[in-house]
Amino acid sequence: MIKLAQRMEHIKPSPTLAVDAKAKALKAQGVDVIGFGAGEPDFDTPEHIKQAAVQALKDGFTKYTPAGGTEELKAAVCAKLKKDNNLEYSTSEILISCGAKHSLYNIFQAILNAGNEVIIPAPYWVSYPDMVYLAGGVPVIIPADERSGFKIRPEQLAAAITPRTKAFILNSPSNPTGAAYNREELSALAAVLEKTQLIVISDEIYEKIVYDGNAAPSIVTVAPALRDRALIVNGVSKTYAMTGWRIGYAAGPQSIITAMTNIQSQSTSNPTSIAQKAALAALTGPQDCIAFMTTEFDRRRRFMVERLNKIPGMSCAMPAGAFYTFPSIAGLVGKAAGAYVITDADAFASYLLDTVNVAVVSGSGFGSPAHIRLSYATSFEVIEKGLDRIEQAVRTLV
Ligand code: PLP
């Protein structure tokens, strides 16, 4: 019997990728599945970005680059941080990774010792706790729900800090809730953090996908005193519909960036050379694709929230950013249809997939077992059809 490493004890496959894979597999078998699991824009990567990759191929830019990314892409990230976030970074404080996920993974590997705690507000992105465990750390969860707009309060943050706390991670706008912290809320959290030595990790991957004219400021812009121990994580996956290209980045103190670069140089080596050229075109080229995408997401967001709130037993807050709704199914718990008893969101998600072929992600993987996550990064027609089916399935419950 093969014995795996102890660190694998807590590690599960990503439930969001699993739902997506299950829906795709059913589709391949010819089943008419509606998939609300997607964590990626349904738009194509803009043409000028693809062309940059084609050009890179033609130019023979197909060899190793520096493990931490090319100097020109790092410079483009610095320019982006200056222009969008009013933050000054030098290229020695930037790391290019194989996606924002890879940057996050490397951060935890670089900063955590066994038993170090990382504070994570819930609902959280599914990968944070597992990444912390993989680095020997201990996730400490602070809960938030609709009553606080799915945002934590400064008192909660202060109460969660112990002598073992090493870092705090904030994801605004959030996957899965779409909640985005405004300047005042960030200032209040920063006031707590400024009294500590914690490393602040700010996952800003949905920064540009915001609605109603609101911006999602970086906590580092709002509280520059944190800059010397903050890591900003971002990437091109969501903003430019480039999830498959695998380019993300981190900006932070040189000592941590160097450690992360060394991890990369001993593990993955550089992110793909041609994808780096494409990411360069994304960051430096025309930005109108973002407005085009967010306008369409906005239309779907409003429609989805309105429909969900009309389904008895479900209720849904209006997300401020990202491309997910996170409705509560608390009003359905205890109901049943035949052999299906809705005990929690896992049971509800299985019920939907089995009976009406609709794939949603249970909130349990996000630390919120009374919610489900629906992505609206799918066509309006599919959203309409899927919501009809969900409504029909819910009306069958007694
Ligand atoms: N952070 C959050 C909150 C996400 O939702 C995702 C992707 O789903 C990522 C990071 C990772 O993005 P990337 O494709 O750049 O690895």
Side-chain angles (χ1 to χ4, degrees):
M1 162 92 160
I2 293 169
K3 242 178 136 51
L4 294 177
Q6 235 167 19
R7 78 177 76 86
M8 295 310 296
E9 263 170 31
H10 295 286
I11 310 307
K12 318 165 282 305
S14 159
T16 51
L17 296 184
V19 167
D20 208 34
K22 195 165 174 187
K24 280 179 181 150
L26 283 170
K27 242 183 220 157
Q29 291 165 25
V31 181
D32 173 24
V33 183
I34 300 280
F36 283 125
E40 58 187 355
D42 53 316
F43 302 100
D44 198 4
T45 304
E47 194 52 36
H48 71 280
I49 298 175
K50 288 191 195 174
Q51 277 312 319
V54 170
Q55 194 58 47
L57 276 173
K58 284 188 179 151
D59 294 345
F61 193 72
T62 53
K63 305 288 165 59
Y64 292 132
T65 76
T70 61
E71 197 61 19
E72 62 177 356
L73 183 52
K74 290 184 187 180
V77 169
C78 292
K80 181 261 170 236
L81 289 166
K82 176 72 194 146
K83 181 165 119 298
D84 294 347
N85 313 101
N86 195 27
L87 292 168
E88 302 271 358
Y89 282 90
S90 68
T91 54
S92 60
E93 296 170 304
I94 306 293
L95 171 72
I96 312 294
S97 302
C98 309
K101 196 179 214 171
H102 188 208
S103 275
L104 287 162
Y105 182 86
N106 288 341
I107 290 172
F108 294 125
Q109 292 294 324
I111 66 170
L112 295 183
N113 282 320
N116 284 168
E117 295 175 356
V118 178
I119 298 176
I120 306 176
Y124 47 74
W125 182 44
V126 289
S127 295
Y128 298 146
D130 290 53
M131 286 184 183
V132 169
Y133 280 128
L134 272 171
V138 180
V140 172
I141 310 298
I142 312 180
D145 61 20
E146 293 88 343
R147 287 167 298 179
S148 59
F150 289 116
K151 297 180 218 180
I152 59 158
R153 292 183 309 278
E155 315 83 83
Q156 286 179 287
L157 175 58
I161 297 170
T162 76
R164 293 174 301 282
T165 312
K166 183 75 191 235
F168 165 64
I169 183 158
L170 188 71
N171 173 215
S172 172
S174 151
N175 173 7
T177 66
Y181 288 75
N182 64 29
R183 294 188 78 87
E184 292 68 39
E185 290 160 341
L186 291 173
S187 282
L189 293 181
V192 175
L193 295 164
E194 279 168 21
K195 293 192 204 112
T196 72
Q197 291 304 311
L198 300 199
I199 294 171
V200 179
I201 305 165
S202 183
D203 180 348
E204 303 176 6
I205 193 85
Y206 295 99
E207 174 195 20
K208 300 276 186 176
I209 305 176
V210 282
Y211 308 107
D212 305 322
N214 294 318
S218 170
I219 190 166
V220 189
T221 305
V222 171
L226 296 177
R227 187 202 178 284
D228 292 342
R229 53 193 168 90
L231 286 143
I232 293 178
V233 176
N234 205 330
V236 295
S237 286
K238 317 285 178 176
T239 311
Y240 303 100
M242 290 178 71
T243 45
W245 299 76
R246 310 308 305 130
I247 299 291
Y249 57 84
Q254 201 175 329
S255 59
I256 302 180
I257 292 293
T258 302
M260 291 164 68
T261 307
N262 291 344
I263 293 170
Q264 261 177 225
S265 78
Q266 299 291 13
S267 53
T268 55
S269 295
N270 62 277
T272 307
S273 59
I274 54 176
Q276 290 191 67
K277 283 285 187 187
L280 180 67
L283 290 178
T284 57
Q287 302 291 304
D288 46 336
C289 53
I290 304 173
F292 173 80
M293 228 170 32
T294 49
T295 304
E296 180 54 25
F297 282 150
D298 185 26
R299 192 168 80 95
R300 301 174 190 173
R301 170 186 77 128
R302 291 171 187 282
F303 175 74
M304 196 183 248
V305 169
E306 196 184 313
R307 280 289 312 266
L308 286 168
N309 279 321
K310 285 188 183 143
I311 300 177
M314 293 182 74
S315 64
C316 186
M318 185 65 82
F323 39 69
Y324 312 100
T325 56
F326 201 60
S328 163
I329 58 125
L332 302 177
V333 172
K335 297 196 174 209
Y340 293 95
V341 181
I342 309 304
T343 46
D344 57 12
D346 284 349
F348 185 60
S350 300
Y351 170 65
L352 290 181
L353 192 58
D354 292 352
T355 61
V356 290
N357 296 328
V358 172
V360 302
V361 188
S362 164
S364 55
F366 303 99
S368 198
H371 293 82
I372 56 171
R373 191 194 76 174
L374 284 81
S375 162
Y376 46 90
T378 187
S379 78
F380 206 84
E381 295 66 38
V382 167
I383 291 173
E384 251 179 327
K385 199 164 148 188
L387 287 168
D388 286 347
R389 290 192 196 178
I390 294 177
E391 178 154 12
Q392 177 209 328
V394 168
R395 291 194 186 277
T396 311
L397 293 169
V398 282

